[in-house]
Amino acid sequence: MTDGDSPQGERLQKVLAARGWGSRRVCEEMIESGRVRVNGETAVLGRRVDVERDVVEVDGAPVGIRPDLVYYLLNKPAGVVSTAKDTHDRETVVDLVPAEPRVYPVGRLDAETEGLLLLTNDGELTFRLTHPKFGVEKEYVAQVESDGRPVSREALAVLRKGVDIGDGVTSPAEVGELQPGVLRIVIHEGRNRQVRRMCETVGYPVVRLVRTRIGPLVDKSLRPGEWRSLNLDEVRSLIEAVAGEPSDTL
Ligand code: URA
């Protein structure tokens, strides 16, 4: 358990807001009006909690991860579409995970893009993870056409700074070259075919694209087509990554 004055732990209003109890301001008001208890004691504003150990209640009801919510991490293979239902009856990512309860992909990967995709029935988390203002990092490994030669320094600089891909300039990205023609790209946005369009624009069309990280989530052991449930720590780390108001993260 944490001491209320300890600098460790997360601010109570942030924890409550991340679990869907309203904005931080609303959650602060809930605390101020005495509706929130931590380990059986009425909490005061400024209280920090250890989400692993402290028992938080609002109006006497425990605040945790709701048992009806599921979170799957899928390694999407190439050729599978990311929509819930494909108009051409192609296999979709939803076909690769349990049918019940019904889940939806969080954002999209192009049909030919491989790698990590989250599927869940948690609408609030989906909203936050796909909201551009939260800017959750997505990491990709992109193999580009470069005839086996390294990508030019100019192209890397433009990718890092921002590229005009037709519908505006992309935000600054982290870009490194893992080996000649193989780039590691970290972006915060989720525009349609963004990585492909960025690379194409600087003269290096993508031949293979794999997503290797979504915010704090990584998994090198899932084979293409395999999925697993997130563990509690992973769900918590995702909630933490998108906690608060969108503008707090700008
Ligand atoms: N960027 C792309 O070009 N495609 C994806 O699927 C994801 C990011």
Side-chain angles (χ1 to χ4, degrees), residues 108-110 113 140 187 191-197 209 211:
R108 283 181 181 205
L109 290 177
D110 304 329
T113 301
Y140 297 85
I187 58 173
R191 297 206 228 162
N192 190 28
R193 301 179 70 80
Q194 179 164 340
V195 173
R196 291 175 195 275
R197 289 195 287 153
L209 186 60
R211 181 152 71 187

Side-chain angles (χ1 to χ4, degrees), residues 62-99:
V63 171
I65 290 166
R66 283 169 38 196
D68 55 322
L69 298 179
V70 295
Y71 305 86
Y72 304 136
L73 187 63
L74 170 73
N75 183 355
K76 179 185 133 12
V80 177
V81 294
S82 291
T83 45
K85 177 94 186 88
D86 184 48
T87 42
H88 298 92
D89 262 353
R90 287 176 295 182
E91 187 173 41
T92 79
V93 290
V94 170
D95 298 328
L96 298 175
V97 297

Side-chain angles (χ1 to χ4, degrees), residues 72-239:
Y72 304 136
L73 187 63
L74 170 73
N75 183 355
K76 179 185 133 12
V80 177
V81 294
S82 291
T83 45
K85 177 94 186 88
D86 184 48
T87 42
H88 298 92
D89 262 353
R90 287 176 295 182
E91 187 173 41
T92 79
V93 290
V94 170
D95 298 328
L96 298 175
V97 297
E100 293 293 332
R102 187 120 181 94
V103 291
Y104 298 89
V106 178
R108 283 181 181 205
L109 290 177
D110 304 329
E112 289 320 308
T113 301
E114 304 157 57
L116 298 182
L117 183 70
L118 188 65
L119 294 105
T120 181
N121 55 354
D122 183 339
E124 173 67 18
L125 187 68
T126 300
F127 169 75
R128 286 170 175 258
L129 285 172
T130 51
H131 195 303
K133 284 193 179 159
F134 284 104
V136 173
E137 287 189 347
K138 270 93 52 180
E139 183 172 322
Y140 297 85
V141 173
Q143 190 182 337
V144 298
E145 273 177 34
S146 71
D147 288 331
R149 287 194 287 273
V151 169
S152 73
R153 291 162 68 107
E154 294 74 23
L156 291 177
V158 175
L159 287 173
R160 286 185 187 121
K161 192 156 175 266
V163 193
D164 189 348
I165 55 174
D167 53 5
V169 179
T170 56
S171 299
E174 227 179 277
V175 182
E177 192 160 26
L178 301 172
Q179 58 191 73
V182 180
L183 303 180
R184 172 186 167 274
I185 302 181
V186 182
I187 58 173
H188 302 259
E189 306 162 286
R191 297 206 228 162
N192 190 28
R193 301 179 70 80
Q194 179 164 340
V195 173
R196 291 175 195 275
R197 289 195 287 153
M198 286 168 67
C199 294
E200 173 123 39
T201 305
V202 297
Y204 293 91
V206 168
V207 290
R208 185 173 177 212
L209 186 60
V210 183
R211 181 152 71 187
T212 51
R213 180 166 65 86
I214 305 166
L217 295 182
V218 289
D219 192 315
K220 291 197 172 128
S221 62
L222 281 178
R223 284 179 306 221
E226 278 186 353
W227 64 273
R228 67 170 173 84
S229 292
L230 295 188
N231 63 40
L232 215 52
D233 282 348
E234 289 173 317
V235 176
R236 285 190 172 125
S237 67
L238 270 184
I239 290 171

Side-chain angles (χ1 to χ4, degrees), residues 12-21 27 30-31 36 56 58 63:
L12 186 52
Q13 65 268 32
K14 190 173 169 187
V15 171
L16 294 170
R19 281 162 179 72
W21 287 89
C27 294
M30 281 171 31
I31 298 167
V36 186
V56 180
V58 175
V63 171

